[in-house]
Amino acid sequence: MDSRMERIAEKVRRGERVTREEGIYLFSSPDIHAIGEIASRVCERKNGDRAYFIINRHINPTNICVNRCKFCAFSKDRGDALAYEMTMEEILERTEEAKRQGATEVHIVGGLHPDWPFEWYLQMLKEIKRVAPEIHIQAFTAVEIDYFSRISGLSLEEVFEKLLDAGLGSLPGGGAEIFSPSVRNRICPEKISGERWLQVMRVAHRMGIRSNATMLYGHLESVEDRVDHLLALRDLQDETGGFQAFIPLAFHPKNTEIERGYTSGLDDLRTLAVSRIILDNFDHIKAFWIMVGEKIAQLSLLYGVDDIDGTVVEEKITHAAGALTGEEMSVDEIVTLIKQVGKVPVQRDTLYNVVRVWN
Ligand code: V47
Ligand code: SF4
């Protein structure tokens, strides 16, 4: 370790926070071993030798979206040959299949549909709860929540009250992208601002609704933009304590309007590890194996990560953009992958209650 890295390691050992400048230094350093050592110490302090996973199922009810973000290969215009809308029956079939496979969670996000009314989403939650009352519904990014408020004319609080009544359990972390207004304007000009994303989460947390947070990286953002994004999340977490996990999302370029290559393994590992170091008030850092691949996800467990998400089953967003992974991992595969790095596989539910320890 060079002397600057030593000083950061020492600070973190004492439980002190890293500054913006130190964050920028970490994101610029190729010394992945030093960064990993610091991050894994933070992770062990918080989670011991546990590595979490969940049996879940992703459902994306429609890809028709009025925003058409430039990094998104999943969304389509109405009338496009690849546009789709699931029927309620199709959504319930997927839910019932998830239930049969032992899933404790369905993870539901989709496009901002130009015609579906807010009541359609409420109906969907109620129907899911009818066929699978015990399943936790983690659904709707802050972007969708803001859209519901606009199409219904209701306040954020009223939207959340209705969603909770209908069966919503918690919010996923999508839609955060990168908060920097200039980059955001170039990659997703129609999307709500970073400030608004944070405000939706603030309101959710105040109402007792837990959520995750994400950051899309590897497109046009700078290292400074990444650090500022993480610091904004750290500030909101200080205020509300409502975030559970942070998930960095590796940009996939295929079929998008942003010309870039795939992120490197080094950048994926470093982004996960530096996030672990900067976000000292988040309990969990998650590597979404679909995006970084099974092998980087496995290695990341030695670089500050304590969660590799879940069985997933069907994944459309990253696969539309050229994901190199499969769409499903079995519990056996996940458990093996965790055991191979000497960690204890812990099956969790959405709120990180232990379902089963796989000794
Ligand atoms: O908001 C879209 C991202 C997100 C691309 O909360 C892309 O546990 C990479 O947020 N390349 C949706 N990423 C997925 C998401 C998520 C996934 C897994 C777990 C959780 C969680 C949340 O996917 C979008 C956007 O940021 N995305 N296009 C792309 N080309
Ligand atoms: Fe729509 Fe979300 Fe894709 Fe943006 S990222 S176009 S909001 S589905």
Side-chain angles (χ1 to χ4, degrees):
M1 281 195 203
D2 66 22
S3 58
R4 188 151 188 208
M5 194 69 86
E6 282 285 6
R7 279 200 302 279
I8 296 175
E10 189 45 42
K11 266 182 93 169
V12 173
R13 207 169 300 143
R14 287 197 301 265
E16 286 172 30
R17 285 197 154 165
V18 297
T19 62
R20 181 172 189 270
E21 284 63 39
E22 288 163 342
I24 293 169
Y25 171 75
L26 290 171
F27 265 120
S28 320
S29 166
D31 191 352
I32 186 65
H33 303 302
I35 295 167
E37 197 181 318
I38 302 171
S40 62
R41 234 179 271 140
V42 179
C43 180
E44 274 161 31
R45 207 153 59 200
K46 288 182 182 285
N47 298 294
D49 57 1
R50 293 176 162 204
Y52 293 98
F53 70 95
I54 186 165
I55 305 184
N56 65 353
R57 160 113 205 191
H58 281 219
I59 303 175
N60 308 119
T62 181
N63 63 351
I64 302 175
C65 184
V66 298
N67 269 6
R68 302 307 315 276
C69 302
K70 297 192 189 306
F71 58 78
C72 178
F74 161 74
S75 68
K76 296 286 174 275
D77 289 328
R78 193 176 27 198
D80 189 296
L82 295 174
Y84 73 84
E85 295 166 340
M86 286 183 190
T87 61
M88 198 67 81
E89 243 171 33
E90 288 169 328
I91 292 168
L92 296 182
E93 272 166 24
R94 282 166 170 79
T95 305
E96 283 179 337
E97 189 190 47
K99 195 169 127 176
R100 281 195 299 277
Q101 292 173 342
T104 58
E105 170 192 284
V106 284
H107 177 116
I108 305 177
V109 296
L112 309 181
H113 194 286
D115 305 320
W116 287 358
F118 180 43
E119 285 67 33
W120 188 92
Y121 298 90
L122 296 173
Q123 191 60 31
M124 176 181 75
L125 297 180
K126 286 179 191 155
E127 292 282 317
I128 289 174
K129 279 292 180 189
R130 184 177 58 77
V131 301
E134 61 296 316
I135 219 153
H136 182 109
I137 308 176
Q138 180 167 76
F140 313 128
T141 66
V143 175
E144 293 172 276
I145 299 293
D146 168 81
Y147 190 63
F148 296 159
S149 162
R150 283 189 281 142
I151 60 176
S152 65
L154 299 171
S155 66
L156 289 176
E157 285 83 355
E158 289 164 334
V159 165
F160 280 130
E161 268 163 30
K162 286 185 183 291
L163 291 171
L164 286 172
D165 268 358
L168 180 75
S170 61
L171 301 178
E177 321 314 356
I178 199 88
F179 295 145
S180 156
S182 59
V183 180
R184 201 174 180 88
N185 211 24
R186 287 169 70 197
I187 65 167
C188 49
E190 306 300 328
K191 192 164 256 175
I192 57 167
S193 68
E195 277 304 318
R196 179 67 176 165
W197 188 95
L198 290 162
Q199 179 59 16
V200 172
M201 288 305 186
R202 182 178 283 113
V203 171
H205 295 172
R206 280 190 190 148
M207 293 179 69
I209 304 168
R210 306 301 303 269
S211 80
N212 292 333
T214 58
M215 171 177 76
L216 184 69
Y217 67 95
H219 43 89
L220 308 180
E221 87 289 0
S222 66
V223 158
E224 287 79 2
D225 294 329
R226 292 186 188 186
V227 175
D228 289 338
H229 186 100
L230 294 174
L231 294 181
L233 291 175
R234 191 170 79 178
D235 285 348
L236 183 58
Q237 180 74 331
D238 276 345
E239 188 186 318
T240 67
F243 289 118
Q244 300 201 110
F246 174 72
I247 311 112
L249 303 175
F251 173 58
H252 283 57
K254 212 169 157 197
N255 308 321
T256 76
E257 290 179 49
I258 297 176
E259 286 186 28
R260 275 283 184 283
Y262 287 86
T263 57
S264 69
L266 172 66
D267 201 19
D268 293 335
L269 262 190
R270 181 171 48 198
T271 305
L272 288 157
V274 175
S275 306
R276 177 61 291 170
I277 297 169
I278 295 181
L279 295 176
D280 61 347
N281 52 4
F282 276 63
D283 287 340
H284 306 286
I285 302 292
K286 190 199 283 188
F288 188 39
W289 65 265
I290 295 266
M291 289 203 187
V292 294
E294 296 88 335
K295 292 184 180 186
I296 291 285
Q298 181 186 48
L299 275 183
S300 74
L301 295 171
L302 303 172
Y303 286 75
V305 165
D306 63 282
D307 188 338
I308 54 168
D309 202 79
T311 46
V312 181
V313 183
E314 186 180 28
E315 204 283 336
K316 294 180 182 294
I317 298 172
T318 328
H319 282 80
L324 305 167
T325 49
E327 294 185 54
E328 177 167 19
M329 248 209 289
S330 70
V331 170
D332 274 355
E333 285 169 315
I334 296 177
V335 165
T336 303
L337 181 157
I338 294 172
K339 282 186 174 169
Q340 281 170 340
V341 294
K343 299 263 174 173
V344 178
V346 176
Q347 184 191 338
R348 64 169 175 89
D349 67 9
T350 310
L351 302 175
Y352 286 87
N353 299 302
V354 173
V355 176
R356 177 173 169 193
V357 180
W358 293 70
N359 277 320

